[in-house]
Amino acid sequence: MNDDYKRILVVQDISCVGQCSLTVALPILSACGMETAILPSAVLSTHTAKGFEGFTFRDLTDDIPDICAHWQSKNITFDALYTGYLGSTRQVQMVEDMMDTLLVPGGVKIVDPAMADNGRLYVGFDDDYVAAMRRLCARADIILPNITEAAFLTGLDYREEYDEAYIDELLQGLRRLGARDIVLTGVSFSPDTLGVMVYENGQKQYHPHRRIPQMFHGTGDVYASAFTGAYLRGRSLFDSACVAADYTLAAIENTVGAPEHWYGVRFEPVLPVLIERLKKG
């Protein structure tokens, strides 16, 4: 893609506090130079991790069709569509409809199948949701699953310990779903490194980086948003994956040593790292 000013539609929830979902995607994509439109799937007072018990939740599913109809009536279209956490199979179907009605010809479809981690589906998701996400991934140009999500999408057993042959199985299974290109996150072949495996045109490339032995909320959203911004700025698939990984690591490093910031990563102060990286061409 060229580096013209583009309009992207991001569909996922708003967790008002917690540095995830749309509160991450909007500033990161804006920093990347995108006109960023949002379509909230739900509004939560905070994200749902332990420590934020008692959060409020409002499902916006019933509002989505009218929003899309208004856009269509005004001939509003988008150069790209990027999805993260979707709350139900009904919302997944609505996103499929958006792919058909709201994208310009050749518009880019990027799907982060945010539904599972650490070998388990998120609370509220079931086999029907996995089946719906498989259909959505089949329509995508690029998918960004982690290893748990890849296992659910392909029907392979989830493994905490694995070799490159297992990663190859996941990639082949994901490719058979129909997605054009794959960025598999959270891939580790040694205790001290973590990285991303990129599968494009039948070829794979791996980008490792230093592993920080601590869990941080929202890093998947930071990664997917930075990847999308870099890709829409004209970077190659692999370079976009590397830019996003390095930026996410910078955000994590900026948060280590701040135990009071347990609920997310301090990604905002290191946005200049991302912007400068994209300026280098």
Side-chain angles (χ1 to χ4, degrees), residues 100-259:
D100 294 327
T101 59
L102 294 176
L103 283 175
V104 301
V108 179
K109 303 180 287 291
I110 299 173
V111 172
D112 175 8
M115 63 179 180
D117 206 357
N118 298 313
R120 298 185 299 274
L121 289 170
Y122 295 152
V123 174
F125 290 160
D126 56 17
D127 290 344
D128 288 341
Y129 187 86
V130 173
M133 187 55 67
R134 286 191 187 114
R135 293 192 296 272
L136 186 62
C137 287
R139 306 247 348 243
D141 296 306
I142 303 167
I143 59 174
L144 308 167
N146 61 34
I147 289 180
T148 298
E149 290 156 352
F152 275 106
L153 289 168
T154 60
L156 293 170
D157 291 335
Y158 169 75
R159 299 182 192 173
E160 292 186 359
E161 297 183 3
Y162 51 80
D163 55 16
E164 194 165 351
Y166 175 69
I167 298 301
D168 288 344
E169 281 189 86
L170 289 177
L171 291 172
Q172 292 301 323
L174 292 169
R175 184 65 188 88
R176 285 193 291 270
L177 288 179
R180 188 188 70 198
D181 297 316
I182 301 157
V183 179
L184 183 61
T185 63
V187 178
S188 175
F189 296 118
S190 71
D192 299 326
T193 61
L194 195 66
V196 292
M197 185 70 77
V198 176
Y199 186 86
E200 181 180 20
N201 298 324
Q203 303 295 319
K204 62 180 183 178
Q205 291 178 279
Y206 182 57
H207 175 67
H209 56 76
R210 183 167 74 93
R211 182 183 201 137
I212 296 177
Q214 189 175 342
M215 196 280 287
F216 293 90
H217 298 291
T219 52
D221 296 331
V222 170
Y223 180 87
S225 301
F227 169 87
T228 300
Y231 186 75
L232 294 176
R233 281 286 296 266
R235 295 303 187 98
S236 70
L237 188 76
F238 183 66
D239 192 34
S240 298
C242 296
V243 167
D246 295 344
Y247 171 65
T248 304
L249 179 61
I252 292 171
E253 290 173 336
N254 192 51
T255 313
V256 171

